[in-house]
Amino acid sequence: MVHYFPKQLSNKAIITYILSLAIVSVVFVKYMLKPAFLIIGIVWVLAFFLLSSHYSKSWLRIEEKKFLKRLFITAVVLRLIWVIFSYFFYLVKTGSPFEFGSSDAIGYHDVAIWFREIGWAQTINYLSAQSLSDSGYPLYLTFLYSIIGPNIFVTRIIKVFLSSWTCIFAYKLAKRNFGDEAGRIAGIFCALSPNLVIYCGMHLKETEMIFLMMASLERADNLLRQERIKFWNVLLTALLVVSLFSFRTVLGASVVFAIFSSLVFSSTSVMTKWNRAVLVIWAVVAVAVFASGTIANEVEGYWESRGSNQELKRTQQVNKGIEWAKYATGTVMAPMMFVLPFPTMVDVDEQYNQQIVNGGNYVRNYMGIFVIIAVFNALFKKRNWRDYALIGSFIIAYLGIICSSGFANSERFLLPGLPILLIIAAYGITLIDQRNYRIVKIWCRFLPVIILLWAVFKLGSRGIL
């Protein structure tokens, strides 16, 4: 069993990335990434893989409290550096502290300022007529602005601490399911994850949403494993889950599905029969309460429109000249859910946000093979998948729904699954042996080809090739 992220795997990941970037840049030199995005991608990949290997080994045997302190501080420092850098980077590149194409971010900011001006009574009255999933983040920003004023920089500093605390949730969740070594690797992966860090410098809702999601799953996992069920623990878990619906309906529904799946499938080594019976009764009552309300209506509406949403997205893309988009259906994309999205390594359509996260997306691609190894091990080798029902059912439900919609390769919509994928990947790394390592080497040969083909798709679908 491997107890840390080996340097051999780290170096192989870096070499594969540099090779992929070089091939794409040479083949499509006319559409090569701008120097700033090239440097950002390379720095993120080097930082993630080198520091993950170093920290997972050097922090392996230290006391848990000291590990958590170092993990949190490291996550905070890294995110603070990025928030400060990105604030001025966006000022220079866009003329404002908002990211490229920041219509959603500016919209959230302006709406929160407006809510602050009209007062809470009118704000609640206005939101009562809107979709529930559109209310959570504007309300959060309004509350924040009422205390600190419409301060963009301070708001992002708060994101830094929420995202850093998410890493602690990842460690605890992974430790209970896969052991302390996998937990430490998972926590470090989340602390160093480029995409999780980059979103702290954006004014979007993803950082807060992922914090609530990880808190919900971690508390639910803790609740399911307790010898005695406590009312306040049940209440806290329920409130966290319900709050998710005010950020993204599908995310809340996926967490509810994961909890139900865990109640049904978890083995007795995870949950006692008495706890299962009590929690099933509570869950049935909770569902009955919400079944006739707004949440149920939004979930039903989203599910029924998933096919038309996908078709509409594809039609819009084709109408814009993205001819090959019609082939990127849920049937095609779903089998790749553990490795999506692919990195954008060509300069096309001014997709600068995607170019900034090209290194982070590559990290997801590379780590995907360890997720597959872990899933294969749980399903076919050890056959202990029931012990991981909460984590497994959540990631399959959420990514499955996203891949069946029109956002199968949307980095922003896939982002909430990232912490769980990193947890599973951390477990997959602990399973590495000579046989699995051969699979990793084969994957490293395929990755540059896949990334090159994705560049071909990006350019060819726009009629450039």
Side-chain angles (χ1 to χ4, degrees):
M1 182 178 181
V2 178
H3 303 291
Y4 57 90
F5 187 43
K7 196 170 184 179
Q8 190 174 5
L9 294 177
S10 170
N11 291 341
K12 189 169 288 295
I14 293 171
I15 292 170
T16 304
Y17 173 76
I18 298 297
L19 178 63
S20 302
L21 189 60
I23 291 173
V24 173
S25 298
V26 170
V27 173
F28 303 111
V29 63
K30 186 178 178 181
Y31 302 99
M32 187 171 66
L33 293 179
K34 291 178 171 59
F37 302 128
L38 280 171
I39 293 170
I40 288 172
I42 293 170
V43 168
W44 274 124
V45 169
L46 289 174
F48 179 85
F49 288 109
L50 292 178
L51 292 178
S52 291
S53 177
H54 172 70
Y55 288 146
S56 63
K57 187 174 183 179
S58 61
W59 294 354
L60 179 60
R61 301 303 177 192
I62 63 175
E63 181 192 2
E64 184 181 53
K65 287 185 179 179
K66 185 178 290 187
F67 167 77
L68 290 176
K69 182 179 179 181
R70 289 186 182 181
L71 178 67
F72 186 77
I73 291 174
T74 300
V76 168
V77 170
L78 187 61
R79 284 156 175 76
L80 278 175
I81 291 171
W82 175 259
V83 164
I84 295 170
F85 166 78
S86 64
Y87 187 90
F88 294 103
F89 177 78
Y90 291 137
L91 274 176
V92 172
K93 294 294 184 179
T94 71
S96 75
F98 295 97
E99 62 276 6
F100 300 97
S102 55
S103 57
D104 284 355
I106 294 175
Y108 289 135
H109 177 69
D110 290 343
V111 165
I113 293 175
W114 177 55
F115 284 167
R116 179 170 171 257
E117 292 173 351
I118 65 176
W120 284 106
Q122 292 188 55
T123 295
I124 299 300
N125 184 58
Y126 173 83
L127 287 176
S128 63
Q130 306 301 313
S131 170
L132 177 64
S133 61
D134 294 329
S135 63
Y137 190 58
L139 274 177
Y140 165 76
L141 281 183
T142 304
F143 174 76
L144 209 56
Y145 287 0
S146 66
I147 299 173
I148 65 172
N151 193 310
I152 295 170
F153 187 77
V154 174
T155 300
R156 293 179 186 174
I157 296 298
I158 294 172
K159 289 177 183 285
V160 164
F161 289 93
L162 292 177
S163 182
S164 299
W165 197 254
T166 298
C167 304
I168 305 298
F169 292 142
Y171 163 74
K172 292 181 177 180
L173 189 58
K175 179 185 176 182
R176 286 196 211 101
N177 284 271
F178 304 118
D180 186 64
E181 289 86 359
R184 295 189 182 215
I185 297 172
I188 292 168
F189 281 171
C190 286
L192 301 175
S193 170
N195 293 28
L196 295 180
V197 177
I198 288 171
Y199 270 83
C200 292
M202 298 182 182
H203 228 65
L204 298 170
K205 64 182 179 180
E206 271 63 28
T207 296
E208 290 79 4
M209 184 169 64
I210 291 173
F211 171 81
L212 290 173
M213 178 205 79
M214 290 299 291
S216 300
L217 290 172
E218 192 277 328
R219 286 295 83 196
D221 183 73
N222 178 68
L223 179 64
L224 294 171
R225 296 170 186 273
Q226 285 181 344
E227 292 184 4
R228 295 182 61 188
I229 297 175
K230 298 179 181 179
F231 171 76
W232 294 111
N233 290 341
V234 174
L235 180 61
L236 175 60
T237 304
L239 290 175
L240 286 169
V241 172
V242 171
S243 69
L244 271 178
F245 285 93
S246 68
F247 279 77
R248 184 170 295 165
T249 305
V250 173
L251 198 58
S254 298
V255 172
V256 171
F257 174 78
I259 293 173
F260 264 100
S261 298
S262 189
L263 288 172
V264 173
F265 295 112
S266 290
S267 63
T268 53
S269 63
V270 173
M271 181 170 44
T272 65
K273 292 181 179 179
W274 170 248
N275 280 8
R276 193 192 308 272
V278 172
L279 290 173
V280 165
I281 294 172
W282 168 79
V284 169
V285 172
V287 169
V289 170
F290 291 112
S292 60
T294 303
I295 291 177
N297 293 334
E298 288 201 9
V299 172
E300 182 181 3
Y302 186 91
W303 179 254
E304 290 180 349
S305 64
R306 70 193 187 285
S308 58
N309 284 341
Q310 184 184 50
E311 185 62 29
L312 178 62
K313 181 76 178 295
R314 298 290 169 245
T315 302
Q316 289 174 342
Q317 290 175 327
V318 171
N319 290 338
K320 289 179 180 179
I322 310 176
E323 295 292 339
W324 296 359
K326 60 187 177 183
Y327 300 113
T329 62
T331 304
V332 173
M333 304 301 276
M336 299 182 283
M337 67 170 68
F338 294 140
V339 299
L340 291 173
F342 298 124
T344 298
M345 292 187 178
V346 287
D347 187 4
V348 60
D349 286 354
E350 297 184 347
Q351 296 179 336
Y352 299 131
N353 288 325
Q354 292 187 36
Q355 293 171 37
I356 283 179
V357 297
N358 83 84
N361 286 351
Y362 168 79
V363 169
R364 291 184 65 143
N365 300 154
Y366 181 78
M367 287 298 171
I369 192 62
F370 301 107
V371 175
I372 293 170
I373 289 171
V375 171
F376 183 86
N377 183 79
L379 289 176
F380 303 110
K381 196 171 182 181
K382 290 187 177 180
R383 297 183 180 180
N384 57 346
W385 60 270
R386 290 163 60 92
D387 295 340
Y388 317 128
L390 182 73
I391 290 176
S393 56
F394 167 78
I395 198 65
I396 291 173
Y398 182 73
L399 294 184
I401 292 171
I402 296 301
C403 286
S404 68
S405 70
F407 306 97
N409 198 61
S410 170
E411 185 273 334
R412 184 178 170 189
F413 279 85
L414 291 168
L415 185 70
L418 180 57
I420 300 301
L421 289 176
L422 290 175
I423 287 174
I424 301 172
Y427 175 56
I429 286 169
T430 66
L431 300 172
I432 289 295
D433 53 24
Q434 286 299 321
R435 182 179 179 183
N436 288 338
Y437 183 61
R438 286 197 295 272
I439 297 173
V440 175
K441 289 195 291 186
I442 294 171
W443 180 239
C444 288
R445 295 189 187 109
F446 270 107
L447 258 184
V449 177
I450 294 171
I451 292 171
L452 177 62
L453 290 176
W454 181 247
V456 172
F457 180 87
K458 297 282 281 192
L459 295 172
S461 62
R462 289 158 176 81
I464 295 175
L465 295 181

